[in-house]
Structures are given as C-alpha cells and as structure tokens.
Amino acid sequence: MTESTFPNTRMRRLRQSVFIRDLVQEQRLHCSDLVWPLFVCEGENTTEDIASMPDVKRYSVDRIVEKAKTATDLNIPAIALFPKTPDQLKDAAGSEALNDQNLVCKAVRAVKAAFPDLGIICDVALDPYTNHGHDGVLNDQGRIENERTVDKLVEQARVLAAAGCDIIAPSDMMDGRVGAIRSMLESDGYPNMIILSYAVKYASAFYGPFRDAVGAGRKLGSDSKKTYQMNPANSDEALREVALDIAEGADMVMVKPGMPYLDIIRRVTDSTSLPCLAYQVSGEYAMTQAAVQAGWLDKRAVVFESMMAFKRAGASGILTYFAPYIADFLNQK
Ligand code: PBG
C-alpha cells in the first residue's frame, strides 16, 4: 500500500470536525463490552468501604442483588463475584471454597433467582479462602502443590456450577486445571458451562488493592505468587499458556493485568480466534482514582481512553471496576 504524500495527503482532513471524526472512528465502546467485578461480604444490608479502592465497596448478598439490578438497568451483560471470607472460616486448605453455602454460592443463587439473564462469572482459585493468601495448598516446604490444588479447584468449580453461575473462570494458574475442570463439567452434566481461563496472568504488584478487598493480606512470602503466575518479563510464554488452555477446553481467555500488558492482548488476539478479555485490575483502578481525586487527571477522559486502548489491542470484553460509571455515561448519550 503506497500513500501519496503531502499535500495530496493531509491527515488533518479527516480530523477537522465531529462528523468526520465519528465517521472514520475505528473502535467503539458499548455497554455490552463490560463486565463488572463485585465484592461480596457477610451480613445483611451491609456495605463496607475498601480503603485502597475509593468508591468500590463490598456488599452483603441482599445488596449484591441490588447491584445486579443496577447492572441490568445499565445494560451491563455480566458481573464477576469475589468473596471476602470471614477470617474464622479461612484455613490452610481453603476448605470454605468447597462449601456450597459459602458467600459466593449464596450470591450466585440470589442473583440468578432475581435476574436470570444477567451473566455471572465466578473465579476458581483458593486465595479468598486460605489463611496464607495463596491460590493453592502448600506442602511442608511452603510450596504450592499442583495436583492437590487442582483436585480442590475441580471441587470448587463443581460447587459453583451447581450454584448456577454461567462462566467458570480459573484464575489460579495451576497446570492442567482447565482440562480437569472441563472433564468434571462434562461428566457431571454441565456440557454448556463456559470456561473463561485466566490463561495469561502475571505475577503483578497491581493486584494489591484486590487483596485488601478480599482480605487475602499481602503477607505472601518473598516469592509471592511467582511460582505459579507469569514473569512480567515474558511474552512468548503467554502464547504457550493460551495454546494449552485452548487444548484443555477453554472457551475464552483473559489477559491480566490490563493496561501494562496491551502488547500481550494484541499478540494473543493475533494468534488465536478465541474471545480474549482484558482485566483492568484493582491497582490500575486505584492509580486512576488517586490521580482523579488529587485533581491531576480528568476521570471521564482517562477512563474512556483506557477502554479504547483495550478495544484497539483486540479485547472482546473488559472487566473493570469503572463498569457502572462507563455504562451510565454510555446510556445517557
Ligand atoms: C484470585 C484473583 C486475583 C485477582 C483476580 N482473581 C488476585 C491474585 O491473583 O492475587 C486480581 C484482580 C484485581 O486486582 O483487580 N486469584
């Protein structure tokens, strides 16, 4: 393709007014691109603040149902639920994850009863349930044991499927868990359950506020989650992770965090035809909110610009704590 040069070509011709800019715009953001992550806490009629995530709250199950109504009213197609498990229910094995009366299961059933058409995504990982904050079970040396963890994740997925969620999202980064969960779903009568694999999840410092939100603490040890989550220096490895999860039966994949990893979203979407979601994580949210609160950034402009970045990189959907803020604005327009 050869471009003629100046003055035959003047790039500014197509930027000179609103109508022409709109006409040639390459990407558009819709409410249907958004997934809203929500935190569930114990109690009734309860709302709790999260210090490191201004304006994001934890809600008791009855209030989560109200938020599900908000999502429906705003045309947000799906929510993702994360529990803040009370400390006394946490143990080294994350047993509460397998309790079909746990907070997430209660929330799934309540939301499904009230709003059956709203999509519900549930995380599969043990970190909201373990007293050490890791996503799996530890051996005597303090290492995460892969197969023992996968066995638990399969049980966790079974409980979540029975509660009625629409999408199972393994976020633990154990090897072989997508295949193990898929074969359980097939044999247990859930052939249509969607698996959204957090296939490319980096060992990131941008998850800090989320760990406050679910009470997972920040006391993970010097390796933190580096023995299972990906090294931020790697990119080819992301394609191996995605290829494996596809082979094991994932329907969609996720890249996480979001904005610092746009190059990875692009590489994944160029090399596969599966839908790829982006997660604008808690630390990205916290940075934005902090700068907005200080008066240093224009909230609406930066939030929408960040959404366009994800669309441009090829994401087919975005998990973002800004979802209701964005959808509200899109619906008014
Ligand atoms: C659980 C999980 C995490 C996030 C989503 N699922 C935290 C982690 O892996 O430490 C982070 C989401 C966010 O930061 O917004 N494994």
Side-chain angles (χ1 to χ4, degrees):
M1 186 174 59
T2 49
E3 284 270 0
S4 64
T5 50
F6 180 83
N8 290 346
T9 294
R10 288 179 185 268
M11 296 305 286
R12 294 182 56 200
R13 285 188 201 117
L14 299 182
R15 295 176 195 151
Q16 64 185 297
S17 56
V18 173
F19 96 84
I20 194 63
R21 288 196 296 271
D22 279 353
L23 196 61
V24 301
Q25 181 166 324
E26 295 177 37
Q27 301 294 336
R28 278 181 214 281
L29 182 67
H30 303 283
C31 295
S32 55
D33 294 315
L34 302 171
V35 175
W36 183 12
L38 286 165
F39 297 106
V40 192
C41 64
E42 288 272 283
E44 221 174 297
N45 219 355
T46 302
T47 301
E48 294 173 1
D49 290 333
I50 303 160
S52 52
M53 299 184 75
D55 298 342
V56 171
K57 318 270 179 198
R58 301 183 200 102
Y59 300 104
S60 53
V61 170
D62 53 316
R63 293 245 167 126
I64 285 284
V65 176
E66 291 169 18
K67 295 297 140 185
K69 178 174 190 318
T70 305
T72 305
D73 291 345
L74 289 172
N75 302 311
I76 294 172
I79 58 175
L81 294 174
F82 298 96
K84 169 139 189 322
T85 306
D87 283 342
Q88 68 274 16
L89 294 179
K90 293 187 182 186
D91 59 22
S95 317
E96 179 66 4
L98 313 189
N99 173 5
D100 66 4
Q101 298 300 319
N102 70 21
L103 271 178
V104 165
C105 291
K106 281 188 196 153
V108 169
R109 281 190 287 264
V111 170
K112 271 293 154 195
F115 301 100
D117 296 333
L118 180 67
I120 304 182
I121 302 175
C122 285
D123 230 49
V124 170
L126 299 180
D127 57 322
Y129 308 96
T130 53
N131 51 18
H132 44 72
H134 278 292
D135 292 31
V137 287
L138 307 171
N139 66 14
D140 297 341
Q141 287 79 48
R143 289 249 152 195
I144 308 290
E145 281 203 356
N146 196 83
E147 276 82 333
R148 260 178 71 216
T149 299
V150 170
D151 289 346
K152 296 225 174 242
L153 298 173
V154 168
E155 293 312 308
Q156 183 182 20
R158 194 197 309 276
V159 160
L160 293 170
C165 75
D166 301 281
I167 301 182
I168 299 267
S171 76
D172 53 281
M173 291 295 279
M174 296 302 122
D175 287 316
R177 89 285 205 213
V178 171
I181 291 170
R182 177 57 79 202
S183 56
M184 177 279 292
L185 292 171
E186 286 294 324
S187 61
D188 270 41
Y190 303 102
N192 292 323
M193 180 61 72
I194 299 164
I195 297 182
L196 161 61
S197 173
Y198 286 66
V200 188
K201 181 166 180 183
Y202 285 91
S204 173
F206 286 99
Y207 308 144
F210 175 96
R211 292 176 191 166
D212 296 340
V214 301
R218 300 196 186 198
K219 47 177 190 318
L220 287 166
S222 60
D223 259 356
S224 189
K225 299 194 176 186
K226 289 177 189 167
T227 70
Y228 43 107
Q229 299 179 346
M230 272 185 58
N231 181 344
N234 295 355
S235 163
D236 294 343
E237 188 185 347
L239 302 187
R240 295 183 71 200
E241 282 285 3
V242 168
L244 284 168
D245 287 358
I246 294 174
E248 290 179 29
D251 302 290
M252 304 193 283
V253 292
M254 174 125 68
V255 173
K256 178 176 175 210
M259 277 229 285
Y261 295 88
L262 292 176
D263 58 321
I264 307 298
I265 298 173
R266 172 47 67 196
R267 282 195 76 181
V268 168
T269 53
D270 277 349
S271 67
T272 75
S273 46
L274 262 76
C276 176
L277 303 192
Y279 198 142
Q280 183 175 53
V281 301
S282 57
E284 300 174 68
Y285 175 85
M287 288 194 309
T288 307
Q289 286 289 71
V292 166
Q293 289 186 347
W296 297 336
L297 286 174
D298 173 342
K299 179 171 181 177
R300 200 167 78 200
V302 292
V303 168
F304 276 80
E305 191 174 328
S306 69
M307 292 300 116
M308 278 308 159
F310 291 120
K311 299 278 300 192
R312 214 179 52 236
S316 43
I318 304 142
L319 283 85
T320 175
Y321 302 97
F322 290 117
Y325 172 82
I326 295 165
D328 189 37
F329 184 75
L330 290 173
N331 286 314
Q332 283 170 28
K333 248 189 6 181

